[in-house]
């Protein structure tokens, strides 16, 4: 098997196993800086990470002037739909208390009925616009790869050619086909209603099982799957329990959106007299295989002020993971309270990019800054903790100890950072330079499973220009459906006002 050697890297973030006497550690070790590093891999695995590789190499890559980073693990994203809301949903307020765009705006995009009727080839898909979804997903994956993500969770509705399309990009993908018993809708913009259809939820679960099994057997070797009962408030108890049981049977994770809004918390209290997390605990579905998307509005949150503040204990004591996606919520004025508190309680946290952008280093910066603001304590959360969540925290949530870290035996998923990039200078602490100043710009090369997918800042596996054009056309096509789907029948510009008014000659 040919061996590839990255030789003489100036810096690397390497994994060190913890000594047994160092006490409990969620991850069994820690990331550490190494100055002067060789990294060798054969096929899809690292065979050496350390100061000097003495073995033979078939290919040598010059690591001088570079830092080697473990691949980032993005455990929550909806790449096929959400990027189409760019330029639309960022600043939307809603009549619902303390809630931004979720229930009122997220489903406004779709093909208008007259378009669907005029297009017999795809009419049976209804408003779903698979060409736009496909382009959106490719654009999102390009953005992830470009920012050093080597593994991501694609939490999406099923669509044709899903598995082959993501595998072709060369990124490691955990396919999460979402399903649910009920759909949200509103008739007045302030009350969230539920349209229940349990048979559809059951059918979605069956489809998901088939897809997850196909993903595990995909010839690319890059795919796996997870169960994804969409949201705590849209799944019946039966569906949630069965989804978690199937996940355990298949030895795959299970992820649901939980405690993502005040509206959801109130609905759960109304229905069950307990919190979203309390309901999941009562169903017996919390545990190390379970990931809670967001888990933000727990009973201790200042917007909730629940009676006993037990939610964080419920999560920590069961070994449940949290997928934290700060950017999308922070721009709606919402914050998790707070990262340091969750980490100190022993909760395993991973990061996700959720809607857009899918720039993972940007998400890390949001996570860090928001945590410091939310806690009113600059020392409550460190860059080391956020970096841990971005790598081994996400990996642990996915049940893996072979990604998100650079050590012999792990997958050859890593990126190279150009230390000479102006935004990195002075590179006294290159991780601080990257997250606080440079973001993705100095990330030049990315490898997944030993294959190069980004070179000199260009994603090799995706035709970005063509997919951006299709995404833009798709957004325009889907915006035409807004008036017929909006409860108030607003035009796109009324539903989603521009950030500035128009100049006189444009009015
Ligand atoms: Zn989500």
């Amino acid at each position: 098997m040919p061996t590839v050697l990255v030789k003489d890297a100036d810096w690397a973030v390497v994994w060190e196993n913890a000594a047994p006497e160092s006490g409990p550690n969620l991850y069994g070790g820690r990331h550490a800086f190494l100055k002067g590093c060789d990294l060798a891999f054969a096929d899809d695995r690292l065979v050496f990470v350390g100061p000097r590789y003495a073995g033979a190499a078939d290919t040598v890559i010059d690591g001088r002037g570079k830092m080697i980073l473990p691949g980032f693990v993005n455990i929550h994203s909806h790449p096929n739909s959400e990027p189409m809301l760019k330029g639309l949903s960022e600043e939307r307020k809603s009549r619902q208390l303390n809630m931004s765009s979720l229930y009122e705006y997220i489903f406004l995009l779709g093909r208008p009925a007259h378009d669907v009727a005029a297009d017999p080839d795809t009419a049976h898909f209804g408003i779903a616009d698979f060409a736009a979804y496909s382009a959106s997903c490719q654009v999102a994956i390009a953005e992830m790869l470009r920012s050093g993500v080597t593994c991501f969770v694609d939490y999406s509705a099923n669509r044709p050619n899903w598995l082959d399309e993501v595998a072709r990009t060369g990124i490691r993908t955990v396919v999460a086909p979402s399903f649910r018993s009920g759909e949200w809708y509103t008739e007045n913009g302030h009350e969230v209603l539920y349209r229940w259809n349990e048979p559809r939820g059951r059918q979605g679960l069956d489809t998901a099982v088939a897809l997850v099994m196909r993903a595990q057997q995909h010839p690319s070797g890059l795919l796996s799957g997870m169960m994804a009962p969409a949201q705590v408030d849209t799944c019946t108890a039966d569906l949630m329990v069965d989804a978690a049981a199937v996940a355990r049977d298949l030895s795959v994770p299970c992820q649901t959106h939980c405690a993502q809004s005040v509206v959801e918390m109130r609905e759960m209290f109304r229905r069950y007299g307990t919190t979203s997390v309390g309901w999941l605990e009562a169903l017996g579905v919390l545990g190390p295989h379970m990931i809670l998307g967001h888990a933000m509005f727990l009973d201790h949150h200042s917007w909730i002020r629940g009676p006993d503040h037990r939610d964080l204990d419920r999560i920590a004591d069961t070994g449940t993971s949290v997928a934290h996606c700060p950017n999308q919520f922070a721009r709606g004025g919402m914050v998790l309270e707070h990262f340091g508190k969750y980490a100190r309680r022993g909760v395993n946290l991973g990061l996700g990019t959720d809607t857009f952008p899918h720039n993972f280093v940007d998400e890390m910066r949001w996570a860090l800054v928001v945590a410091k603001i939310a806690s009113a304590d600059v020392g409550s959360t460190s860059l080391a903790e956020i970096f841990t969540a971005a790598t081994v925290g996400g990996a642990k949530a996915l049940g893996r100890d072979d990604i998100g870290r650079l050590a012999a035996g792990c997958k050859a998923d890593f990126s190279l950072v150009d230390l000479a990039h102006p935004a990195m200078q002075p590179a006294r602490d290159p991780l601080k330079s990257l997250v606080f100043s440079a973001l993705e710009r100095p990330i030049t090369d990315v490898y997944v499973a030993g294959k190069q997918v980004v070179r000199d800042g260009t994603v090799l596996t995706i035709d970005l220009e063509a997919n951006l054009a299709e995404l833009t056309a798709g957004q325009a096509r889907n915006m035409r459906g807004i008036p017929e789907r909006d409860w108030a029948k607003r035009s796109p510009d009324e539903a989603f006002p521009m950030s500035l008014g128009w100049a006189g000659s444009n009015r």
Side-chain angles (χ1 to χ4, degrees):
M1 219 174 332
T3 301
V4 181
L5 171 65
V6 182
K7 192 171 165 51
D8 293 332
D10 286 11
W11 289 76
V13 172
V14 300
W15 185 253
E16 288 193 331
N17 286 325
E21 63 274 15
S22 63
N25 174 325
L26 273 185
Y27 312 105
R30 60 166 196 148
H31 292 295
F33 281 132
L34 176 65
K35 271 184 149 178
C37 181
D38 288 352
L39 174 146
F41 59 94
D43 194 15
D44 68 340
R45 291 209 177 256
L46 301 174
V47 295
F48 180 86
V49 181
R52 188 146 298 279
Y53 177 67
D58 302 276
T59 307
V60 177
I61 297 163
D62 187 359
R64 285 174 299 174
K66 302 274 186 178
M67 170 169 66
I68 312 174
L69 284 183
F72 296 131
V73 181
N74 179 356
I75 62 168
H76 189 106
S77 74
H78 312 289
N80 74 340
S81 52
E82 302 312 294
M84 260 196 286
L85 282 161
K86 189 188 274 191
L88 295 168
S89 65
E90 291 93 333
E91 293 193 293
R92 282 315 300 154
K93 282 201 290 192
S94 165
R95 294 179 182 202
Q96 296 148 20
L97 188 64
N98 294 341
M99 195 55 222
S100 60
S101 59
L102 184 56
Y103 306 102
E104 193 174 357
Y105 298 105
I106 201 169
F107 298 116
L108 290 190
L109 292 191
R111 300 163 71 216
H114 57 88
D115 259 25
V116 176
D119 182 2
D121 286 347
T122 58
H124 55 286
F125 295 131
I127 65 167
D129 186 335
F130 292 118
Y133 297 167
S134 170
S136 173
C137 187
Q138 296 287 304
V139 169
I141 291 174
E143 198 173 13
M144 289 185 214
L145 287 171
R146 186 61 193 75
S147 62
V149 173
T150 54
C151 175
F152 86 110
V153 173
D154 186 343
Y155 202 120
S156 299
N158 186 21
R159 65 172 191 275
N161 308 318
W162 184 0
L163 304 188
D164 291 339
E165 278 184 11
V166 291
R168 259 204 319 269
T169 69
I171 199 169
R172 204 178 285 288
T173 307
V174 184
V175 175
S178 72
F179 53 89
R180 55 187 174 178
S181 320
E183 272 180 6
W184 300 309
Y185 70 103
T186 181
E187 289 174 344
N188 54 24
H190 55 82
E191 184 183 14
V192 178
L193 300 166
Y194 296 78
R195 198 176 283 121
W196 295 99
N197 185 343
E198 184 69 355
R200 198 161 161 195
R202 309 298 321 182
Q203 197 180 40
L205 189 151
D206 292 344
T207 303
V209 170
L211 266 165
V212 166
M213 293 176 73
R214 271 179 50 212
Q216 317 274 41
Q217 292 152 8
H218 195 270
S220 65
L222 292 171
L223 306 189
S224 60
M226 79 166 50
M227 295 307 288
Q231 296 95 7
V232 287
D233 55 326
T234 61
C235 289
T236 60
D238 283 351
L239 192 70
M240 188 62 78
V241 166
D242 287 352
V246 167
R248 269 194 293 265
D249 288 349
L250 295 175
S251 295
V252 298
C254 181
Q255 182 169 187
T256 189
H257 292 79
C258 173
Q260 63 174 332
S261 75
V262 174
V263 170
E264 173 208 306
M265 279 294 260
R266 289 193 166 164
E267 175 67 15
M268 297 303 277
F269 264 112
R270 188 191 67 76
R271 274 188 220 165
Y272 308 113
T274 184
T275 64
S276 301
V277 178
W279 183 66
L280 293 176
E281 182 192 43
L283 295 182
V285 301
L286 296 180
H289 69 290
M290 185 60 110
I291 304 170
L292 304 183
H294 313 315
M296 173 176 282
F297 293 103
L298 305 188
D299 52 6
H300 71 264
H301 195 281
S302 59
W303 291 10
I304 301 294
R305 297 193 188 277
D308 347 289
H309 295 200
R310 289 190 48 217
D311 281 351
L312 199 55
D313 291 340
R314 289 168 167 137
I315 294 172
D317 292 345
T318 53
T320 302
S321 294
V322 167
H324 178 40
C325 310
N327 181 349
Q328 128 82 2
F329 285 91
R331 67 183 179 237
M334 292 169 273
V335 295
L336 181 121
E337 295 178 349
H338 53 83
F339 189 102
K341 184 181 173 96
Y342 285 47
R344 230 60 75 225
R345 186 57 191 81
V347 173
N348 178 50
L349 291 129
L351 297 186
T353 51
D354 204 11
T355 59
F356 63 87
H358 293 285
N359 182 332
F360 202 71
V361 190
D362 188 39
E363 199 72 40
M364 290 165 68
R365 182 196 278 180
W366 278 99
L368 186 50
V369 174
V370 162
K372 290 174 191 292
I373 297 170
S375 61
D377 175 5
V378 71
S380 71
T381 302
S382 66
L383 175 53
E385 286 174 298
I386 297 296
F387 188 78
T388 296
T391 51
V392 289
K396 182 179 174 65
L398 301 180
R400 301 189 68 150
D401 59 8
D402 62 343
I403 57 172
R405 61 182 75 183
L406 296 182
C410 292
K411 294 288 186 188
D413 295 5
F414 63 94
S415 63
L416 301 179
V417 180
D418 177 15
L419 295 164
H421 190 285
M424 289 293 288
Q425 296 290 323
R428 184 257 170 180
D429 181 324
L431 203 53
K432 285 187 188 171
S433 287
L434 184 82
V435 175
F436 287 103
S437 297
L439 301 183
E440 87 295 354
R441 288 173 291 174
I443 297 177
T444 53
D445 304 271
V446 180
Y447 290 77
V448 182
K451 294 209 170 65
Q452 187 164 23
V453 285
V454 178
R455 180 184 297 137
D456 296 331
T458 299
V459 179
L460 303 173
T461 50
I462 293 171
D463 183 344
L464 191 54
E465 213 175 313
N467 282 292
L468 283 169
E470 177 55 36
L471 171 60
T472 300
Q475 185 190 54
R477 204 158 56 225
N478 283 274
M479 280 170 62
R480 289 203 295 270
I482 290 174
E484 68 191 48
R485 256 181 295 288
D486 181 42
W487 67 270
K489 307 295 172 210
R490 286 168 292 189
S491 71
D493 279 4
E494 288 166 338
F496 301 106
M498 299 295 289
S499 51
L500 299 177
W502 296 106
S505 52
N506 274 161
R507 229 174 272 137

